[in-house]
Amino acid sequence: MKKNNIILFLLMALPTLLMTSCLKDQEDLFDDSASARTTKYLANIKQVLTSAENGWLFNYYPDRDQSYGGQPYVVKFKDDTVIAYADTQDRSYSEESYYTLKNEDGPVLMFDTYNSLLHMYSTPTGSSSAGGYEAYDGDFIFIIMGVSEDKNTITLKGNRTGNIMYMYRMTGSAEDYMTKVIEVEDNMPTNYSFEAGGETVKVALSSGTATFSTDTKEVKQAYIYTNEGIEFYEPVEINGQTLNGIKFGGEADVTSSIGDNPIQLKVVFLPINEIFVNNDWYLSYANLSDGMKLYFDQAIAGSKAEGETIGTMAFTIVNGFSLYFTSGGYAGALAFDVEFIGENKVKLTYNEANNYSNGTWYYNNANYNYVTYILSTTFTLTANSKIRPTIISLVDDNNPDNVFYVTAAAAAF
């Protein structure tokens, strides 16, 4: 009996003895403490970050649903500071701020002092709309997931969004890269089609989201502009085809996808009247013919009588197609019904019922009825580009002396 108890005791003690042995073996695997290993790892990360003479391409994705698409940056790290470049119209513009590498339950990179470029998606305002108190759900703290063996790629994870993002070692200058990105942004077509799985797949690019649609399905994926075209946040799979992005083909009617097995995509050129009606276009007094100015002068005088100056006039798709305006500290919109005639004509008809904000007041009290009158007619449209027009001229079919130009770039009236 006593012998059995001893055997039982040994059997019960064996797992504990084995566990003790395993723990000792584990401790022997590392010469340093966990804290010391993290400190050493962060020092290595800093050496990699600062070793890139031309900086790093940082493909940044705000918002946990990537609903705004991606924002390209180039970031150059010094000992304690980082210089950031973005796709602003001034390609050489940069901002310098501080960064920190630290251990917070793992290695993290923090852009912890304000930088208007790096914090444009994470700086809150007092508004309750997008970009308000939650900003655009952007990150400025990033978990360092790893560095490639060749030390040319760093993988990050947004602390807030959980989005996986990458930094790539640059081989050329930040200014040259951003110049090319802006060229792609300004000129890349927004509509394509290709054949896959016995169906025509249509592709539409808009505000950072690519929509792939067939008669039976729809797939959406965020994208970012690069110096070669667009790159998707994740590969898109549809009808047996996989696309990692789309190359910028210049003025060509056909381009290809980015990936191991490129496919050909046809560029779809939208009719100019659809482009006009489905985008925002700015109107300037200088871009009105003399005959058109006579009618807009009445609205200018009407605002002046209220002690106001017209600041902006723009055709917009907000709340239906309308002419949005600001006058002093007030704003309003004059609504129009639209009829497409062929591919290069529109017939505009004023529709007071769809006015919003102060549109009807200025129509009735500040001579804005003269503006709606001269615009309520049929116009022939001509654009400066069939791919991504930036200027559209409109000529009154009933009076060719009535001509005006609109621009995609924001402009004061």
Side-chain angles (χ1 to χ4, degrees):
M1 191 71 177
K2 188 176 288 187
K3 184 177 181 182
N4 289 338
N5 284 341
I6 292 173
I7 293 172
L8 180 62
F9 172 79
L10 290 173
L11 290 172
M12 293 175 65
L14 185 60
T16 304
L17 292 170
L18 290 173
M19 183 177 294
T20 303
S21 175
C22 288
L23 287 173
K24 187 177 189 307
D25 288 344
Q26 284 183 326
E27 290 169 358
D28 290 342
L29 289 175
F30 300 102
D31 295 329
D32 301 323
S33 66
S35 175
R37 291 194 302 274
T38 301
T39 300
K40 184 177 180 180
Y41 181 78
L42 290 175
N44 289 335
I45 288 290
K46 189 166 190 175
Q47 190 280 325
V48 172
L49 288 174
T50 56
S51 69
E53 181 179 350
N54 294 306
W56 297 84
L57 169 62
F58 181 18
N59 285 344
Y60 172 92
Y61 281 87
D63 185 67
R64 62 206 70 195
D65 297 318
Q66 303 98 42
S67 57
Y68 309 114
Q71 169 64 51
Y73 292 111
V74 172
V75 285
K76 295 181 180 180
F77 292 90
K78 299 180 182 179
D79 188 47
D80 295 310
T81 61
V82 58
I83 302 173
Y85 299 79
D87 52 343
T88 61
Q89 289 304 310
D90 182 356
R91 283 78 154 165
S92 63
Y93 177 74
S94 64
E95 270 191 45
E96 188 170 8
S97 56
Y98 288 92
Y99 74 96
T100 300
L101 290 166
K102 64 189 302 184
N103 179 26
E104 288 194 356
D105 296 326
V108 298
L109 167 64
M110 303 173 62
F111 298 117
D112 49 1
T113 60
Y114 181 70
N115 183 306
S116 69
L117 299 178
L118 293 174
H119 292 87
M120 70 171 72
Y121 293 96
S122 57
T123 303
T125 67
S127 169
S128 60
S129 58
Y133 67 94
E134 291 186 342
Y136 292 94
D137 198 23
D139 286 292
F140 61 91
I141 301 174
F142 304 89
I143 302 165
I144 302 169
M145 304 295 289
V147 180
S148 64
E149 189 173 343
D150 62 7
K151 297 183 180 180
N152 290 332
T153 304
I154 300 174
T155 304
L156 304 173
K157 181 179 180 180
N159 184 62
R160 181 180 188 182
T161 64
N163 292 340
I164 300 298
M165 310 176 211
Y166 298 94
M167 293 200 299
Y168 304 99
R169 187 183 295 267
M170 291 284 293
T171 57
S173 73
E175 294 88 347
D176 288 348
Y177 184 84
M178 288 305 171
T179 295
K180 186 62 179 179
V181 169
I182 292 171
E183 179 187 344
V184 172
E185 289 178 348
D186 289 345
N187 297 287
M188 188 161 181
T190 57
N191 291 269
Y192 303 84
S193 70
F194 62 94
E195 301 299 319
E199 291 187 294
T200 297
V201 181
K202 298 178 181 179
V203 187
L205 308 180
S206 178
S207 302
T209 299
T211 302
F212 294 76
S213 58
T214 70
D215 291 338
T216 59
K217 63 178 71 70
E218 183 176 276
V219 177
K220 292 181 179 290
Q221 185 57 255
Y223 65 85
I224 190 169
Y225 282 106
T226 74
N227 62 336
E228 296 182 345
I230 63 166
E231 179 183 293
F232 300 128
Y233 177 73
E234 292 180 335
V236 175
E237 295 185 10
I238 186 166
N239 284 15
Q241 296 287 356
T242 301
L243 299 84
N244 293 326
I246 300 175
K247 289 185 177 180
F248 172 55
E251 295 284 338
D253 292 346
V254 177
T255 188
S256 68
S257 65
I258 298 171
D260 294 334
N261 298 296
I263 64 171
Q264 297 295 102
L265 295 93
K266 294 180 180 179
V267 179
V268 177
F269 300 105
L270 295 179
I272 185 59
N273 49 13
E274 289 187 24
I275 294 175
F276 172 66
V277 170
N278 291 299
N279 293 277
D280 295 337
W281 296 94
Y282 290 84
L283 185 62
S284 295
Y285 186 79
N287 291 335
L288 298 169
S289 67
D290 291 341
M292 298 283 288
K293 285 179 178 177
L294 294 175
Y295 293 84
F296 281 84
D297 285 343
Q298 299 300 316
I300 291 171
S303 287
K304 186 176 181 180
E306 299 297 319
E308 302 163 8
T309 300
I310 298 175
T312 300
M313 277 196 169
F315 291 99
T316 177
I317 55 176
V318 177
N319 201 44
F321 187 76
S322 58
L323 180 66
Y324 169 83
F325 63 86
T326 60
S327 180
Y330 301 93
L334 304 164
F336 292 86
D337 293 332
V338 178
E339 178 185 346
F340 293 135
I341 302 173
E343 295 189 347
N344 68 333
K345 294 179 184 290
V346 290
K347 181 179 180 181
L348 302 181
T349 304
Y350 175 59
N351 184 348
E352 184 176 350
N354 289 337
N355 287 352
Y356 64 95
S357 190
N358 296 297
T360 298
W361 190 92
Y362 280 85
Y363 175 86
N364 289 325
N365 299 283
N367 299 334
Y368 280 53
N369 56 307
Y370 283 88
V371 172
T372 60
Y373 173 79
I374 198 62
L375 292 177
S376 293
T377 186
T378 300
F379 292 95
T380 297
L381 287 66
T382 305
N384 65 336
S385 168
K386 66 177 182 179
I387 296 178
R388 294 284 291 273
T390 57
I391 301 173
I392 297 177
S393 68
L394 294 92
V395 180
D396 185 346
D397 280 6
N398 297 310
N399 185 348
D401 291 332
N402 291 337
V403 181
F404 66 97
Y405 299 84
V406 292
T407 61
F413 180 74

